[in-house]
Amino acid sequence: MKPEYRSSLPPAAGELFDEMVRWPIFDPHTHINPHQPAARHFEEILGYHYYTELAHSAGMPAEAVAPELDPDSRAAGVVLYLDRIDSTVQYSWLLEIARTFHRFPHDRITPANLSELLTRADHRQSGPEWDRSVWAASGLETVFLTNDFDDPLEGWDTRNYVPCLRVDDLVLKLHEPQTIARLRKAVDMEVDDFVGLRRAIGRLFERFVARGARAVAVSLPPDFAPRAASHQRARTPIRKAIHGMNLRRDESEEARNSVFWLLAEFCADFHLPFDLMIGPIRNVYPGGVAGGRDLFDRRVSLYDYRELFNHFAGVAFPISTLSPDASAELVAYSWIFPNVYPMGHWWYSNVPAFIAGDLRARVQALPKNKLLGYYSDAYKLEFIVPKFNMYRRLLAEVLAEEAIGARGWAFERALDVAKLILIDNPKRIFAEVAMRSAPGI
Amino acid sequence: MKPEYRSSLPPAAGELFDEMVRWPIFDPHTHINPHQPAARHFEEILGYHYYTELAHSAGMPAEAVAPELDPDSRAAGVVLYLDRIDSTVQYSWLLEIARTFHRFPHDRITPANLSELLTRADHRQSGPEWDRSVWAASGLETVFLTNDFDDPLEGWDTRNYVPCLRVDDLVLKLHEPQTIARLRKAVDMEVDDFVGLRRAIGRLFERFVARGARAVAVSLPPDFAPRAASHQRARTPIRKAIHGMNLRRDESEEARNSVFWLLAEFCADFHLPFDLMIGPIRNVYPGGVAGGRDLFDRRVSLYDYRELFNHFAGVAFPISTLSPDASAELVAYSWIFPNVYPMGHWWYSNVPAFIAGDLRARVQALPKNKLLGYYSDAYKLEFIVPKFNMYRRLLAEVLAEEAIGARGWAFERALDVAKLILIDNPKRIFAEVAMRSAPGI
Amino acid sequence: MKPEYRSSLPPAAGELFDEMVRWPIFDPHTHINPHQPAARHFEEILGYHYYTELAHSAGMPAEAVAPELDPDSRAAGVVLYLDRIDSTVQYSWLLEIARTFHRFPHDRITPANLSELLTRADHRQSGPEWDRSVWAASGLETVFLTNDFDDPLEGWDTRNYVPCLRVDDLVLKLHEPQTIARLRKAVDMEVDDFVGLRRAIGRLFERFVARGARAVAVSLPPDFAPRAASHQRARTPIRKAIHGMNLRRDESEEARNSVFWLLAEFCADFHLPFDLMIGPIRNVYPGGVAGGRDLFDRRVSLYDYRELFNHFAGVAFPISTLSPDASAELVAYSWIFPNVYPMGHWWYSNVPAFIAGDLRARVQALPKNKLLGYYSDAYKLEFIVPKFNMYRRLLAEVLAEEAIGARGWAFERALDVAKLILIDNPKRIFAEVAMRSAPGI
């Protein structure tokens, strides 16, 4: 597999990169569907929100990728606008997928060669075999999932596809009737009040851990500021939320805060890292394509999380921040709090210009055993390699300059740091953290 | 014309730059006076607020450039302090002007050689001819103006100097008596209430469009957060403002918001882009020199503009943000909203260190057909070339690294992107947007 | 002395660096104890909060460096975790100290070679001689201190170790009984009300200036927003604070503001620069090691200081901001206000990745006579050289690229700018500012 970007790297960076691409990939956060991890039709690649939203931003009507259309039409809809986004890094992932996994011989995807690509990438008849083939060709070792709390967690090998309990619905949508209905069904218990809710969430944690879950994750809006919860005070708001009654704004915040705090308590009890993905506001642009409607308010600070970090000293908090300009603050908080870890480069911050600066600051200022390098956030396996290659290239450049160049380190020593960042740290913190609370190497 | 900075560029960037400097310049935002576009006396260059404010910041008393002084004295006042700012990029523009347009042979402007420079640059006898000479030597094709709403828009060729309706006074100073007086005079109508105001603004738009205007522009303070206006609710505050009555703070905001919304409605009706220049606070330093008193509060977010972007899906919003650290958010909003365009690099963000990072992120993450590369914001024609050269150099570097280096693109393909960014996009969005609402290439 | 990092610099930068390291060092802000400026035991180096907090963040229990332990044990406690932070720039200072001052021959500090290092660095028998030796080997010329208001300021040569009046306690802790007790004792006067407080502070200024003090300094939390004080209105809150009575929140702010304003008035009267160090919040992480508990809220703006800058036009305000993303705003405020100076790169912003960007923007956009390059913030003399070398390397790179490369300046001219930034400006503003109010060269 010949990765993109290799040729323009300076020598030392190129050699570091060459080593890194041989390593297995440990991907601690994705949205892969373990029942169908690879794309059976190339529309599952082209339909990734990064392409539909950029094509839409560039002029494509949202209707061109409406769900009711057939996949070929949706693919054609996006491809018509690809020439407008072909200078983006997101497009470079797409081309790397086409070339790497489908031996696509052209250097652009156009309406004229789309049908060739669709044919080459058609794996509707060979699904599971294709999944295994992509897994092997990508050098994947461990891929974390994002699982709804009522996911039955059955039908796949959870040592490869590791479950992660996603709790947004519990924290942010407790008052919506279907949330409680789903919860009651998932745990097969009545849930009528705070005590019932706590019991139900305990049941969820037990099931997830029994099925190999190694993380809990939540995305939180910029106005969320967790405080040490008084569960006592939250009992009424939570009961009202559970029963679909109207909550005042302060009650709603009380309930939200209490549930969040409860989840952190369970993370402590079950020795699970709690991934905090801070910043998104949902549906800021309702007229957008699916997955392309969320944005953020950049006026956010980790100072709002101080009580949480202090109270749960034994819980590891891998943190992703959405607004690129918030990343320097994450360096400072990871520098001081032993349980705060800077995790990857997320969504609107997942752009080389932003990653390069953030990564350099993290390498220069933070303990090397705390850097959680990268995760793909992928919906399909094929995206993992091009995204990791983008990151590995930047990591190679930073380490070549900082470690080999400025410090005069031997190649092998720089490579060891790369391995910590890409593999050892995520593995230690996510895969083996259960029995230890303090970080180590 | 031998542009500054050429020699230190890496080879591929140098070649890109060499091509770009041959292109005509499309400058979508300036403060040029079309009746006297070039400087007749070099003090009109030295008196640019970038020099007077930096010289003042470096120690020059504000009185040294008082308006009542004669031009030679004011020029001498600034030059006395130029050695304190000669490492700045702003100074490099100045020197490039002296060398390029006046064959100034020295590499510094000092009290000792000022009179030579003033003599070389004296065009008081040959004004209009000098205007044409600078226009031709600069390779200018289209220069947008900034016109007060009561500008008669007469006396120049609006195909070269394109009018742009500046609406700050209407939005922010409606309560000041002279605003309404000027408006009444400009449209020759009574303006007593909301209905009258709407009719008057409609008349302004008609006149501006008839005279070739291709944009509406406004600069907005950081605390402005437009909401979907209830013009009904704003009727009383607007009537009070028109009649110079005292407004409560909420009434004042209601009026301001309603007028702004009204202007966006007219932009939609007349198919005009609405330039939003977000951030400045006027007169933060009242003791400063003219033009050098404004600053900002960095705590600002485009999230405050969400209702506007959603409501006016058919209006193009070219956006400039003032605080350098706000620029990453603009990348995200331009990525999602089809009608949000990142426009140039403005004022306190118009510094190579900031431009380089912002430009790289825009190129990497945004549709190439949405990038509105640069505008000079110039008050005199002579500034357009050195400012554009600064930008073209940075653009050449970014494209050489990102497109030719990392992607392995052919030179011509990278050059095509440069042309989109510098010319095609601004031309499409500003000059030909009238009949289309969706962006295109 | 062979400085770290030299070898990887490009040629022109390397030559600039070689010159700079021969210059004497003017360090305008440290926490050196003038009675024992150099470390007598290497634990005084290893115990610097940068190492204890990073080691703690990397997994070391805070108890490993408890104050009641003996120095050897504390040193051993930190060293056990050094391999986890050996890729940081902070570690590079440590290694440079060991190699430069103690001829430590190894390239890592480990439990295995710690005792060798402790032996080499043991100067408990030769304290004052060692102080002089480090001073000379470091090429120090002037080192500013941080002195409590009740420091007797006796027992050292204040031409080398220049006093600086630190006023945090007066501004932020006036209501704590020991503050007033210390103040009464320091000035040997009763202090019962605003008038008494003003007289006492006047006495402090007199004593400090008589003892050669050249600056006043304060660190301010992000929510502090000084307003033109009404000392009249503050009389009651200040009297209540002095007498340990409970203050309402608004009274507390009134008192804090009034004392701060009073201090600025004295800075004006005594022609002293007022160092503002903006951002820290104390004790955000109470479980941390000593000195490693403070963080910040990034939502801060210099706009909050506008009244101060305007009112005290004759006072120089050297400003450090803590949150790295706030630094671009400091460029703009230094650009406009003659009395605002960007000073060094502080604490969480003192990381090469942040310095490089900030420094480039300052050099490109600000008068060169206003740049206050760097200060070490050191607690022991040994830290001054490695920290300044880090900065000098970055300055060399920026000037090689910006001045020599892009501008085509002669080497000597670029070097002159470096000298302004490192020596002439700090010397002028701090050491000789008394008799002048306007900046100069």
Side-chain angles (χ1 to χ4, degrees):
Chain A
M1 193 177 318
K2 187 174 163 299
E4 293 293 294
Y5 289 164
R6 169 63 180 85
S7 64
S8 68
L9 290 174
E15 287 167 42
L16 285 170
F17 181 79
D18 289 343
E19 292 293 325
M20 289 185 215
V21 293
R22 291 196 199 105
W23 295 343
I25 288 178
F26 186 99
D27 189 344
H29 182 74
T30 78
H31 295 266
I32 300 285
N33 170 6
H35 304 292
Q36 200 158 315
R40 311 287 162 93
H41 186 290
F42 201 74
E43 189 276 335
E44 295 169 54
I45 302 296
L46 279 167
Y48 191 28
H49 72 82
Y50 279 87
Y51 304 114
T52 55
E53 74 201 15
L54 277 174
H56 176 57
S57 177
M60 180 190 78
E63 301 74 42
V65 291
E68 60 271 20
L69 296 176
D70 66 279
D72 283 21
S73 301
R74 283 202 304 271
V78 174
V79 167
L80 212 53
Y81 292 84
L82 279 186
D83 63 333
R84 301 183 183 188
I85 66 169
D86 65 4
S87 50
T88 62
V89 70
Q90 299 93 328
Y91 181 88
S92 78
W93 309 332
L94 184 66
L95 202 61
E96 188 171 342
I97 290 172
R99 287 175 175 175
T100 304
F101 294 104
H102 308 300
R103 303 176 189 278
F104 184 67
H106 311 291
D107 65 351
R108 307 189 202 195
I109 301 170
T110 69
N113 61 32
L114 174 62
S115 74
E116 175 188 347
L117 179 54
L118 294 181
T119 303
R120 284 177 178 275
D122 184 353
H123 290 279
R124 283 174 289 189
Q125 303 308 317
S126 59
E129 189 186 324
W130 176 241
D131 297 338
R132 287 187 293 273
S133 161
V134 174
W135 181 276
S138 301
L140 303 179
E141 183 180 286
T142 309
V143 169
F144 277 54
L145 309 175
T146 294
N147 304 91
D148 284 335
F149 65 78
D150 54 347
D151 189 318
L153 303 178
E154 282 170 6
W156 74 85
D157 185 338
T158 60
R159 287 168 305 179
N160 294 339
Y161 294 103
V162 179
C164 166
L165 173 59
R166 182 73 176 235
V167 296
D168 295 35
D169 290 348
L170 295 171
V171 176
L172 304 172
K173 299 185 178 171
L174 189 67
H175 58 285
E176 297 184 6
Q178 65 273 33
T179 305
I180 289 298
R182 285 168 53 208
L183 182 59
R184 287 174 177 143
K185 192 170 165 208
V187 296
D188 195 21
M189 292 162 56
E190 263 315 298
V191 181
D192 284 315
D193 55 14
F194 176 80
V195 172
L197 181 66
R198 177 150 63 185
R199 205 160 40 210
I201 292 176
R203 186 78 63 90
L204 293 179
F205 271 72
E206 283 165 13
R207 179 196 297 153
F208 267 77
V209 168
R211 288 292 298 148
R214 294 304 323 131
V216 176
V218 67
S219 83
L220 297 161
D223 68 347
F224 186 72
R227 291 157 297 118
S230 162
H231 293 318
Q232 188 60 39
R233 202 169 52 217
R235 283 177 185 237
T236 301
I238 282 181
R239 192 174 51 243
K240 288 171 75 175
I242 288 173
H243 294 284
M245 298 162 70
N246 282 332
L247 280 78
R248 297 190 312 269
R249 190 181 168 81
D250 64 309
E251 289 180 318
S252 176
E253 285 186 8
E254 193 79 50
R256 189 167 83 156
N257 188 63
S258 177
V259 173
F260 177 77
W261 207 262
L262 192 56
L263 289 161
E265 288 167 355
F266 278 111
C267 286
D269 292 348
F270 284 83
H271 301 288
L272 287 174
F274 198 175
D275 298 347
L276 306 183
M277 315 189 81
I278 297 173
I281 306 176
R282 305 298 172 179
N283 218 29
V284 174
Y285 171 44
V289 299
R293 296 165 188 152
D294 306 338
L295 277 158
F296 56 87
D297 184 322
R298 58 184 285 264
R299 293 164 295 194
V300 64
S301 173
L302 290 170
Y303 183 64
D304 286 344
Y305 287 78
R306 64 197 180 280
E307 290 189 36
L308 180 77
F309 301 151
N310 277 298
H311 189 91
F312 295 99
V315 174
F317 292 103
I319 296 193
S320 301
T321 49
L322 188 54
S323 184
D325 59 304
S327 60
E329 198 186 52
L330 178 55
V331 172
Y333 276 72
S334 306
W335 168 338
I336 291 300
F337 278 104
N339 53 340
V340 171
Y341 298 82
M343 179 167 171
H345 303 270
W346 186 36
W347 200 347
Y348 296 115
S349 292
N350 187 27
V351 171
F354 301 136
I355 298 173
D358 295 345
L359 178 56
R360 195 175 297 267
R362 292 180 191 177
V363 165
Q364 289 173 341
L366 298 181
K368 67 186 182 197
N369 69 325
K370 294 190 68 183
L371 307 177
L372 296 170
Y374 195 69
Y375 56 88
S376 72
D377 217 12
Y379 283 75
K380 287 293 163 188
L381 287 186
E382 288 89 335
F383 280 103
I384 298 177
V385 157
K387 288 186 165 190
F388 266 82
N389 278 345
M390 174 187 74
Y391 177 76
R392 291 190 282 211
R393 176 178 184 259
L394 294 161
L395 180 59
E397 287 187 304
V398 167
L399 290 176
E401 285 173 32
E402 296 297 320
I404 299 177
R407 301 286 177 83
W409 283 16
F411 180 82
E412 292 300 329
R413 191 171 174 190
L415 201 62
D416 285 348
V417 175
K419 192 157 162 288
L420 270 179
I421 293 174
L422 279 166
I423 301 180
D424 299 349
N425 293 339
K427 201 176 270 194
R428 189 185 79 250
I429 291 159
F430 286 108
E432 304 161 16
V433 79
M435 292 302 95
R436 44 164 75 200
S437 58
I441 284 191
Chain B
M1 193 176 320
K2 187 173 163 298
E4 292 294 294
Y5 288 164
R6 170 62 179 85
S7 65
S8 69
L9 289 175
E15 287 166 42
L16 285 170
F17 182 79
D18 288 344
E19 291 294 326
M20 288 185 215
V21 294
R22 289 195 201 107
W23 295 344
I25 288 179
F26 186 99
D27 189 344
H29 182 74
T30 78
H31 296 266
I32 300 285
N33 170 5
H35 304 291
Q36 199 159 316
R40 311 286 162 94
H41 186 292
F42 201 74
E43 190 276 334
E44 296 169 53
I45 303 296
L46 279 166
Y48 190 29
H49 71 83
Y50 278 88
Y51 305 114
T52 55
E53 74 201 14
L54 278 174
H56 176 57
S57 178
M60 181 190 79
E63 301 74 42
V65 291
E68 60 271 21
L69 296 175
D70 67 278
D72 283 20
S73 301
R74 282 202 306 269
V78 175
V79 167
L80 212 54
Y81 293 83
L82 279 187
D83 62 333
R84 302 183 183 189
I85 66 170
D86 64 4
S87 50
T88 63
V89 71
Q90 299 93 326
Y91 181 87
S92 78
W93 308 332
L94 183 66
L95 202 61
E96 188 170 343
I97 289 172
R99 287 176 175 176
T100 303
F101 293 105
H102 308 300
R103 303 176 189 278
F104 184 66
H106 312 290
D107 65 352
R108 307 188 204 197
I109 301 169
T110 69
N113 60 32
L114 174 62
S115 73
E116 176 188 346
L117 179 54
L118 293 182
T119 304
R120 285 177 177 275
D122 183 353
H123 290 279
R124 282 174 291 189
Q125 303 308 318
S126 58
E129 188 187 326
W130 176 241
D131 298 338
R132 288 186 293 273
S133 161
V134 174
W135 180 277
S138 301
L140 303 180
E141 183 181 288
T142 309
V143 170
F144 277 54
L145 309 174
T146 294
N147 304 91
D148 285 336
F149 65 79
D150 54 347
D151 189 317
L153 303 177
E154 281 168 9
W156 73 86
D157 185 337
T158 60
R159 288 166 304 178
N160 294 339
Y161 295 103
V162 179
C164 166
L165 172 59
R166 182 74 175 234
V167 295
D168 295 35
D169 290 348
L170 295 172
V171 177
L172 304 172
K173 299 185 178 172
L174 189 66
H175 59 285
E176 297 184 6
Q178 66 270 37
T179 306
I180 288 298
R182 286 168 53 208
L183 182 59
R184 286 175 178 143
K185 192 170 165 208
V187 297
D188 195 21
M189 292 162 56
E190 264 315 298
V191 181
D192 285 313
D193 55 13
F194 176 81
V195 172
L197 182 66
R198 177 151 62 187
R199 204 161 39 211
I201 292 176
R203 185 78 61 92
L204 293 179
F205 271 73
E206 282 166 14
R207 178 195 302 153
F208 267 77
V209 168
R211 288 291 298 149
R214 294 304 322 130
V216 177
V218 67
S219 84
L220 297 162
D223 67 347
F224 186 72
R227 291 157 296 118
S230 161
H231 292 317
Q232 187 60 40
R233 202 169 52 218
R235 284 179 184 237
T236 301
I238 282 180
R239 192 175 50 242
K240 288 171 76 174
I242 288 173
H243 293 283
M245 298 162 70
N246 283 332
L247 279 77
R248 296 190 313 269
R249 189 180 168 81
D250 64 308
E251 288 179 318
S252 177
E253 285 185 8
E254 192 79 50
R256 188 167 84 157
N257 188 63
S258 177
V259 175
F260 177 78
W261 206 261
L262 192 57
L263 289 161
E265 289 167 355
F266 278 112
C267 286
D269 291 348
F270 284 83
H271 301 289
L272 288 174
F274 198 175
D275 298 348
L276 306 183
M277 316 190 79
I278 297 173
I281 305 176
R282 304 298 172 179
N283 218 30
V284 174
Y285 171 45
V289 300
R293 297 167 186 149
D294 306 337
L295 278 159
F296 55 87
D297 184 322
R298 57 184 285 264
R299 293 164 295 193
V300 63
S301 173
L302 290 170
Y303 183 63
D304 286 345
Y305 287 78
R306 64 195 179 281
E307 289 188 38
L308 181 76
F309 300 151
N310 277 299
H311 190 90
F312 295 101
V315 174
F317 292 103
I319 295 193
S320 301
T321 49
L322 188 54
S323 185
D325 58 305
S327 61
E329 198 186 53
L330 178 56
V331 172
Y333 276 73
S334 305
W335 169 337
I336 291 299
F337 279 104
N339 54 340
V340 171
Y341 296 83
M343 179 168 172
H345 303 270
W346 186 37
W347 201 347
Y348 298 114
S349 292
N350 187 27
V351 171
F354 301 137
I355 298 172
D358 295 345
L359 177 56
R360 196 176 297 268
R362 292 181 191 176
V363 166
Q364 289 172 342
L366 298 181
K368 68 187 181 195
N369 69 325
K370 295 189 68 182
L371 307 178
L372 297 171
Y374 195 69
Y375 56 88
S376 73
D377 216 11
Y379 284 75
K380 286 292 163 189
L381 286 187
E382 288 89 336
F383 280 103
I384 298 177
V385 157
K387 288 186 164 192
F388 266 83
N389 278 345
M390 174 188 73
Y391 176 78
R392 292 190 281 210
R393 176 179 184 258
L394 293 161
L395 180 59
E397 286 188 304
V398 166
L399 290 176
E401 286 174 33
E402 296 297 320
I404 299 176
R407 302 285 176 84
W409 283 15
F411 179 82
E412 290 301 331
R413 191 171 174 191
L415 201 63
D416 285 348
V417 175
K419 191 156 163 291
L420 269 179
I421 294 174
L422 279 166
I423 301 179
D424 299 348
N425 293 339
K427 202 176 270 196
R428 189 186 79 248
I429 291 159
F430 286 107
E432 304 162 15
V433 79
M435 292 302 98
R436 42 162 79 199
S437 58
I441 285 192
Chain C
M1 192 175 322
K2 186 173 163 302
E4 293 292 294
Y5 290 163
R6 169 63 179 85
S7 64
S8 68
L9 289 174
E15 287 166 42
L16 286 170
F17 181 79
D18 288 344
E19 292 294 326
M20 289 185 214
V21 294
R22 289 195 200 106
W23 296 343
I25 287 179
F26 186 100
D27 189 344
H29 182 73
T30 77
H31 296 266
I32 300 285
N33 170 5
H35 303 293
Q36 200 159 317
R40 310 287 162 94
H41 186 291
F42 201 74
E43 189 276 334
E44 296 169 53
I45 302 296
L46 278 167
Y48 190 29
H49 71 83
Y50 279 87
Y51 305 114
T52 55
E53 75 201 14
L54 277 174
H56 176 57
S57 178
M60 181 190 78
E63 301 75 41
V65 291
E68 60 270 21
L69 295 176
D70 67 277
D72 284 21
S73 301
R74 283 202 304 270
V78 175
V79 167
L80 212 54
Y81 292 84
L82 279 186
D83 62 333
R84 301 183 184 189
I85 66 169
D86 65 4
S87 50
T88 62
V89 71
Q90 299 93 327
Y91 181 88
S92 78
W93 309 333
L94 183 66
L95 202 61
E96 187 170 342
I97 290 172
R99 288 177 174 174
T100 304
F101 294 104
H102 308 301
R103 302 176 190 279
F104 184 67
H106 311 291
D107 66 350
R108 307 189 203 196
I109 301 170
T110 69
N113 61 32
L114 174 62
S115 73
E116 175 189 346
L117 179 54
L118 293 182
T119 304
R120 285 177 177 276
D122 185 353
H123 290 278
R124 282 173 291 189
Q125 302 308 318
S126 58
E129 189 187 323
W130 176 241
D131 297 338
R132 288 187 291 273
S133 162
V134 174
W135 181 276
S138 300
L140 302 180
E141 183 180 289
T142 310
V143 169
F144 277 55
L145 309 175
T146 294
N147 304 92
D148 284 336
F149 65 79
D150 53 349
D151 189 318
L153 302 177
E154 283 170 6
W156 73 87
D157 185 338
T158 59
R159 288 167 305 180
N160 294 339
Y161 294 102
V162 179
C164 166
L165 172 59
R166 182 75 176 235
V167 296
D168 296 34
D169 291 348
L170 295 172
V171 177
L172 304 172
K173 298 185 178 172
L174 190 67
H175 60 285
E176 297 185 7
Q178 65 271 33
T179 305
I180 289 298
R182 285 169 53 208
L183 182 59
R184 286 173 177 144
K185 193 169 164 208
V187 296
D188 195 21
M189 292 163 56
E190 264 316 297
V191 181
D192 284 315
D193 54 13
F194 176 81
V195 171
L197 181 67
R198 176 152 63 186
R199 204 161 39 211
I201 292 176
R203 185 77 62 90
L204 292 179
F205 271 73
E206 283 165 13
R207 178 194 299 153
F208 267 77
V209 167
R211 288 291 300 149
R214 294 304 323 132
V216 176
V218 67
S219 84
L220 297 162
D223 66 349
F224 185 72
R227 290 158 296 117
S230 161
H231 292 318
Q232 188 59 40
R233 203 168 52 217
R235 283 175 184 239
T236 300
I238 282 180
R239 193 174 50 243
K240 289 171 75 176
I242 288 174
H243 294 283
M245 298 163 70
N246 283 331
L247 279 77
R248 295 189 314 268
R249 189 182 169 81
D250 64 309
E251 289 179 317
S252 176
E253 285 186 8
E254 193 78 49
R256 188 166 85 158
N257 187 63
S258 178
V259 175
F260 176 78
W261 206 261
L262 192 56
L263 289 161
E265 289 167 357
F266 278 112
C267 286
D269 291 347
F270 284 83
H271 301 289
L272 287 174
F274 198 175
D275 298 347
L276 306 184
M277 316 190 79
I278 297 172
I281 306 176
R282 304 298 172 179
N283 218 30
V284 175
Y285 172 45
V289 299
R293 297 166 186 149
D294 305 338
L295 277 159
F296 55 86
D297 184 323
R298 58 184 285 263
R299 293 164 295 193
V300 63
S301 173
L302 290 170
Y303 183 64
D304 286 345
Y305 288 78
R306 64 197 180 279
E307 289 188 36
L308 181 77
F309 301 150
N310 277 300
H311 190 91
F312 295 100
V315 174
F317 293 102
I319 295 194
S320 301
T321 49
L322 188 55
S323 184
D325 58 304
S327 60
E329 199 187 51
L330 177 55
V331 172
Y333 276 72
S334 306
W335 169 337
I336 291 301
F337 279 104
N339 54 339
V340 171
Y341 297 83
M343 177 168 174
H345 303 270
W346 186 37
W347 199 348
Y348 297 114
S349 292
N350 186 26
V351 170
F354 300 136
I355 298 172
D358 295 345
L359 177 56
R360 194 175 297 269
R362 292 181 191 176
V363 166
Q364 289 172 343
L366 298 181
K368 68 187 181 196
N369 69 326
K370 295 190 68 183
L371 307 178
L372 296 171
Y374 195 68
Y375 57 87
S376 72
D377 215 12
Y379 283 76
K380 287 292 163 190
L381 287 186
E382 289 89 335
F383 280 104
I384 297 176
V385 158
K387 287 185 166 191
F388 266 83
N389 277 346
M390 175 188 74
Y391 177 77
R392 291 190 282 211
R393 177 179 184 258
L394 293 161
L395 180 59
E397 286 188 305
V398 166
L399 291 176
E401 286 173 32
E402 297 297 320
I404 299 177
R407 301 285 178 84
W409 283 15
F411 179 82
E412 291 301 329
R413 190 171 175 191
L415 201 63
D416 285 347
V417 175
K419 191 155 162 292
L420 269 180
I421 294 174
L422 278 166
I423 301 179
D424 299 348
N425 292 339
K427 202 175 269 195
R428 189 187 77 248
I429 291 158
F430 287 107
E432 305 162 14
V433 79
M435 293 302 97
R436 43 163 78 200
S437 58
I441 284 192

